[in-house]
C-alpha cells in the first residue's frame, strides 16, 4: 500500500508540475494574479493564494489519487492544502499536521497518505 500511495503521489506531483508550465502566449489573460481574498496576513503565515482553475483541478486530482475521501468536500480540501503549506514552509511537523488537517469523521489519514499529501503540496502549491 505504501508503494502504491507513493507512486500515485509522485505521478500526481509530476502532473501538477506540468500544469505550472506557461505557454509562450504573453497576453494579459495568461498572467497569474493573486486572488482578491489573498491577504498579507495569509502571505506572512506562509499560506499561498487560492490556486487558479487549472492548478485547483490538478491538485484535487492528486488528492483524489491519494484517497478519494480527501476530496469529499473540494473547497475544504483546497483550504486544507493552502493551510498545510504554512506548516510545510514553517518547519512544523508536516506529517502529523496533514494527518490532523485532512482527517474527517469518515476518514482518518494514514502516515503514508500524509507523506504523499505533503510531497504533492511541496511540488505544486507551497513555496519556501
Amino acid at each position: 500500500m505504501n508503494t502504491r500511495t507513493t507512486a500515485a503521489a509522485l505521478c500526481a506531483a509530476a502532473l501538477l508540475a506540468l500544469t505550472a508550465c506557461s505557454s509562450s502566449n504573453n497576453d494579459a489573460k495568461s498572467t497569474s494574479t493573486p486572488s482578491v481574498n489573498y491577504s498579507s496576513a495569509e502571505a506572512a503565515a506562509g499560506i499561498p493564494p487560492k490556486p487558479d482553475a487549472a492548478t485547483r483541478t490538478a491538485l484535487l486530482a492528486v488528492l483524489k489519487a491519494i484517497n478519494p475521501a480527501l476530496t469529499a468536500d473540494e473547497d475544504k480540501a483546497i483550504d486544507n492544502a493552502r493551510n498545510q503549506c504554512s506548516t510545510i514552509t514553517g518547519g512544523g511537523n508536516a506529517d502529523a499536521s496533514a494527518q490532523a488537517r485532512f482527517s474527517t469523521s469518515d476518514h482518518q489519514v494514514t502516515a503514508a497518505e500524509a507523506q504523499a499529501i505533503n510531497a504533492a503540496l511541496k511540488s505544486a502549491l507551497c513555496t519556501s
Side-chain angles (χ1 to χ4, degrees):
M1 183 69 175
N2 252 350
T3 304
R4 185 175 144 217
T5 302
T6 302
L10 291 175
C11 289
L15 172 66
L16 285 173
L18 290 174
T19 64
C21 297
S22 64
S23 69
S24 61
N25 186 353
N26 290 328
D27 62 36
K29 292 181 182 178
S30 67
T31 59
S32 176
T33 57
S35 169
V36 293
N37 295 328
Y38 187 57
S39 70
S40 59
E42 288 176 324
I47 300 171
K50 290 185 179 182
D52 60 25
T55 303
R56 176 186 167 92
T57 299
L59 183 55
L60 289 170
V62 169
L63 293 173
K64 191 172 190 173
I66 294 168
N67 191 312
L70 298 174
T71 59
D73 180 338
E74 292 181 352
D75 290 335
K76 182 146 180 72
I78 295 298
D79 286 343
N80 286 342
R82 291 178 63 226
N83 288 319
Q84 183 64 12
C85 288
S86 178
T87 302
I88 290 171
T89 60
N93 185 338
D95 291 343
S97 177
Q99 282 185 280
R101 184 168 277 130
F102 285 87
S103 288
T104 66
S105 59
D106 295 328
H107 174 71
Q108 294 300 307
V109 173
T110 67
E113 289 171 339
Q115 290 173 351
I117 290 167
N118 288 326
L121 294 180
K122 283 178 189 176
S123 68
L125 187 65
C126 307
T127 59
S128 46

